[in-house]
Every structure is written in structure tokens, then in C-alpha cells.
Amino acid sequence: MLLDSEEVQAVSQPVHPEPKVKHKEVSAVEDAESQQETEGNNKRHLNVVFIGHVDAGKSTTGGQILFLSGQVDDRTIQKYEKEAKDKSRESWYMAYIMDTNEEERIKGKTVEVGRAHFETETTRFTILDAPGHKSYVPNMISGASQADIGVLVISARKGEFETGFEKGGQTREHVMLAKTLGVTKLLLVVNKMDDHTVNWSKERYDEIESKMTPFLKASGYNVKKDVQFLPISGLMGLNMKTRVDKSLCPWWNGPCLFEALDRIEITPRDPNGPFRMPIIDKFKDMGTVVMGKVESGSVREGDSLLVMPNKAQVKVLAIYCDDNRVRHAGPGENLRIRLSGIEEEDILSGFVLSSVAKPVAAVTEFIAQLQILELLDNAIFTAGYKAVLHIHAVVEECEIVELLHQIDLKTKKPMKKKVLFVKNGAIVVCRIQVNNSICTEKFADFAQLGRFTLRTEGKTVAVGKVTELPTVSSSA
């Protein structure tokens, strides 16, 4: 699964695989770096994933955010406008900021997860622009598994909301996946409010909100606490950095997008917990460099860590946060870490950089509680059922070895009756086996490393959480 940090080249600070750092750094440079580090880390850092149906305007909204926050200059925008016009795709020019490869521009679909950075008054954000098209859902899973908050983009245009929301549309699947992957807070932006079929209509906005609310509740979101709706125009940049003009939209009294993003409160992670960083990508550059998001603990230059599950002892040579070299970093940060003691080819996506004292568990089977969403036609969920497991950055084939018991949906307690198979909507506790050793944790201990989805033939059939691990697994 690709997650290319070189995707977003239009940002004024391009996301290069690795900034060029001289081997010998003079003390003045180090002083500047440590000062930069202190300043940079004063603001909290959040990962935002843009999700929603294809064509809802995710890339355009992401591009507009970068433009409005000063990450992209007017000249670049003019270049993209011309490029889009030459391709007879006038309205796509903002999306070009996020969609930088030719295939994405020609088709108008985001294939990989773009990356870019912007800041508001109080927060540094990394945007993960996830693909909406159904063939790219595994890439979307990889983007969302690193996200703290989700921006669900819904098109208000007549017919487009309906297409995205109906059976087979990506809106429903994306919401389910976001919830499963740990995106606890959702900003639901109703986009294309400026479209001639909408004209900032309160009726249309209310209709979308009333249709989405029951579905969000059913997906496990507390709509009052964890979800906020707001109207925007991604293409025109309205109600994004500043509130929409009353002459255009007299009925909207809420915040604009930047204000709403700034106000989101998320549960802080533990900087003193055991270090955990699932590896999403790796490359060679003066050593072996791994990329990922710190889910727990902190890391410093010179630390000794383990790469699990192959138990390789490594040393941290350098840490990069965005494009700055830093001496230490805490939880929630997206990092590139240069390591010694391991070759790049010995690392796979889904391996976890972890503390030596308390390494992450490496297992080939575990017990999990699963909720069956929608099985393929004529499929029976029973022992022997095979699927593809997505857990943090891991993608691995798995088999259901045994159904232990079904959970009563009303009482939430295990049923006494022995269960041989279950149907759609059921919650079941089962034993799952994988072919290769994978890194995971109990959901209760590390939620981000203990929640997963099961997919079959390009469709999400179940979501689950790891409840028990074999006791011998984590002895390093």
C-alpha cells in the first residue's frame, strides 16, 4: 500500500523524502534547530483526513485550505488554472494542489494519500487527502488510520449527495471506516453550496443534515459531542478561513472551517507511555529512514528501539518532523526517523518501531470482537471464513479459526448458545489467524493498534477490535 510523502509538491515547503542535511553540523545550526523545534512544538499537532464520496470536492477543499493559509502562492494557482483549462477541467484547478500525479489529474480522482501541512492560530495540521473512489479504499484506510480528526466532505449539488449516500456510494463506507480506524471527531462540511442547484439554500443544508444524522449515530458517533456540520464552497473558498458573508448566506451563524478545526478537542496521548510508531513507509537516504505517526511515547536522538515483529535492535540517528530536524518528538507527530542497525529491505509497512523495555506484541493469532456489516451475497460467516485484515498499516490475509460466542445486541452480554455462523449486523467474538506475524495490541491498551477492518473482494465486511492476545507472544 503506497503512501507517498512526495505527493504534494506544490506546498511552499515541499514534502521531500528527506531534507538535505550536512553530515557535520556546526553548533549555530544546532542552536537554530533546537529553537525551531521549541517554537514548532508550542502548537499542538493534529492529522486531518479528508474523506467522502468521489467528486464531493475533497482535493479542491484541501487545496483551497493550503492556498488560504498561505502555503501556496498566487503564481502557482494561476499555473494550475491554466493547466486545468488546457485539459478542459476548469473547476479542478484547486484539486491540483493535492493531486500532483498525472493519472490523478486526468481522471480527477485521488489515488494515493496526498500530504500537506498548514497552521491555524493554535494548531499545526497535516492534511491527509484520502481517495474517495471505491477501488482505492485500502489507501483511504491507510490515510485514516493515522488521522486524529476527519473532515467528511458532502456535495450539496442536486443528485450528488444522493449518489454518494445511497447503497454503493462511498459516503457510508467512509464514515464506518473512519469510526473503526479511530477518527473520533468529525467535521461534516456540506460543500458546493454555491452551486446553481443549491444557491446556499438552508432547506438543502437541513435536508442533508437530517439524512446524515441518524446514519452517523448508527455508525457510533455521538452527533452532539463529536460531529459538527458546516456549509462551505471549496472551489470559491467561502466559509473557510473567514465566515461566509451574510448577504450570501443570512441563516448561517456558526463558525467557518478554520475556526471549527481550531476548536476541536481530542484526548491527549501519553508522552511517557511505551514508544509505538507503526511504519507506513521506508526508504534509503544516508541510512534507513522510516516514516510513521507516533501513537504513544516519545523519541530522542540516540535512543535504542526495536523494530517489531523481527526484533531488530536499532539506534535513532536523526528525527525529522515536517521538514525540520528535531532532537525529540512526542505522540501524535508524523516523523521520519533515520535508523542504524537495519537494512531498508528488512522493513515492511505495518512493522512497528517500539520501546525495548515494553515491545509491541507480535502474534499470528488473536481474539477479537467483530461486528459484521455486510457480507457478500451468499457468504456465511463461520469458522474457515477468509478475508483481508487491515490493522494500522498492516494488510494481511487472515482466517476466522473459531467463533467463540455471539454478543446479544440488547444486553451486550455473551449468549449461552453455541454459535456456528452469524449473519449481517451480528456481533461475535472469534479467534483470528494470520499467515505472518503481525504487530498488534489489545484495543483497551492501545486503541490505534487494536482496531481493524476485514475486507473481501474490495468490500468492508466487518469491523473489530482486538480483545485478547496469546500470553507468550510479546516476549522479546
Side-chain angles (χ1 to χ4, degrees), residues 55 74 182 259 285 391 402 412 432 457 468:
D55 280 348
D74 284 317
E259 287 175 300
D285 185 5
I391 185 162
E402 182 187 5
K412 303 284 187 241
I432 299 176
E457 291 177 31
E468 280 179 59

Side-chain angles (χ1 to χ4, degrees), residues 14 182 217 255 329 354 429:
K217 280 182 180 160
S354 88
V429 174

Side-chain angles (χ1 to χ4, degrees), residues 135-147:
S135 32
Y136 304 122
V137 166
N139 293 9
M140 180 261 158
I141 290 175
S142 135
S145 68
Q146 300 165 67

Side-chain angles (χ1 to χ4, degrees), residues 203-414:
E203 287 67 33
R204 179 60 166 163
Y205 176 83
D206 289 345
E207 178 195 358
I208 290 170
E209 186 172 347
S210 67
K211 282 184 176 165
M212 284 302 300
T213 300
F215 174 66
L216 290 163
K217 280 182 180 160
S219 304
Y221 280 101
N222 178 335
V223 178
K224 279 201 176 81
K225 226 171 66 188
D226 300 330
V227 180
Q228 183 170 2
F229 288 81
L230 62 138
I232 65 160
S233 162
L235 186 63
M236 305 310 290
L238 299 171
N239 207 35
M240 289 181 69
K241 191 176 182 182
T242 52
R243 294 190 181 193
V244 62
D245 199 288
K246 286 284 185 206
S247 61
L248 255 186
C249 186
W251 51 270
W252 180 250
N253 297 313
C256 61
L257 181 59
F258 278 34
E259 287 175 300
L261 282 166
D262 247 350
R263 289 176 190 172
I264 286 182
E265 292 295 325
I266 68 154
T267 316
R269 291 179 182 79
D270 182 6
N272 302 316
F275 187 71
R276 298 284 184 268
M277 187 182 101
I279 295 167
I280 55 163
D281 208 350
K282 47 51 185 294
F283 51 87
K284 268 189 179 133
D285 185 5
M286 288 158 43
T288 300
V289 180
V290 294
M291 291 170 60
K293 176 185 163 201
V294 181
E295 294 297 351
S296 161
S298 305
V299 62
R300 286 181 177 277
E301 269 186 25
D303 278 359
S304 288
L305 296 170
L306 279 180
V307 173
M308 294 291 286
N310 54 358
K311 299 179 182 169
Q313 193 133 1
V314 294
K315 191 168 183 184
V316 174
L317 299 179
I319 304 164
Y320 295 92
C321 180
D322 298 342
D323 276 345
N324 305 322
R325 183 168 179 173
V326 295
R327 292 220 182 87
H328 62 85
E333 293 290 358
N334 301 321
L335 302 179
R336 291 190 307 279
I337 300 180
R338 187 180 289 128
L339 303 170
S340 66
I342 194 165
E343 290 303 315
E344 178 251 356
E345 56 266 22
D346 295 330
I347 300 172
L348 297 174
S349 285
F351 280 17
V352 174
L353 203 52
S354 88
S355 67
V356 178
K358 278 192 173 174
V360 64
V363 302
T364 52
E365 70 166 53
F366 55 89
I367 289 170
Q369 181 174 308
L370 272 184
Q371 178 171 8
I372 313 298
L373 301 177
E374 199 176 347
L375 298 168
L376 299 178
D377 295 342
N378 306 322
I380 296 171
F381 195 87
T382 181
Y385 186 91
K386 288 185 169 69
V388 178
L389 172 84
H390 291 259
I391 185 162
H392 59 89
V394 173
V395 183
E396 188 70 54
E397 287 189 4
C398 72
E399 183 178 340
I400 308 301
V401 190
E402 182 187 5
L403 301 191
L404 299 170
H405 49 254
Q406 193 169 346
I407 303 285
D408 187 312
L409 295 175
K410 288 197 182 91
T411 64
K412 303 284 187 241
K413 292 200 166 84

Side-chain angles (χ1 to χ4, degrees), residues 21 99 108 139 314 393 414 420 476:
V21 179
D99 294 344
N139 293 9
V314 294
L420 295 172

